[in-house]
Amino acid sequence: MWSPDTLSTPGVQSVAETGGTTTLFREFNDADSAIGGTVRGRVTFNRSQQSQSISEFIVDKDHPFISSITMIAPSPDWFTGFYDLEPVSASGTW
């Protein structure tokens, strides 16, 4: 989805600049089976609770990594997240 020292895709740029996810999800759809799936969190900007909980996602040997991205408002060019996090090791341990 993204990694340091690389140019962003139009979808990542859209998330960073506006928080919009339409282009990013279009890129996910174009990636087809290269990704295992997507989960979209709730918008929490200016809410009293600024947290996210994702109840369930699946990793397997064909899709062992998870990545995340979010806009840091109100800046039009900041985002944060993580990429290629491997929650389960090759030996099957968390």
Side-chain angles (χ1 to χ4, degrees), residues 25-84:
F25 273 85
R26 191 173 305 123
E27 291 170 358
F28 292 157
N29 289 335
D30 291 345
D32 196 31
S33 64
I35 63 172
T38 60
V39 177
R40 187 183 308 207
R42 298 179 323 274
V43 174
T44 61
F45 183 68
N46 285 337
R47 301 237 172 102
S48 61
Q49 181 179 356
Q50 297 288 317
S51 65
Q52 291 284 330
S53 295
I54 304 299
S55 61
E56 184 177 308
F57 61 91
I58 297 171
V59 292
D60 60 27
K61 64 181 175 74
D62 295 324
H63 305 95
F65 302 108
I66 58 174
S67 298
S68 174
I69 186 172
T70 189
M71 175 191 189
I72 301 176
S75 176
D77 58 359
W78 290 357
F79 70 95
T80 189
F82 53 87
Y83 67 99
D84 288 354

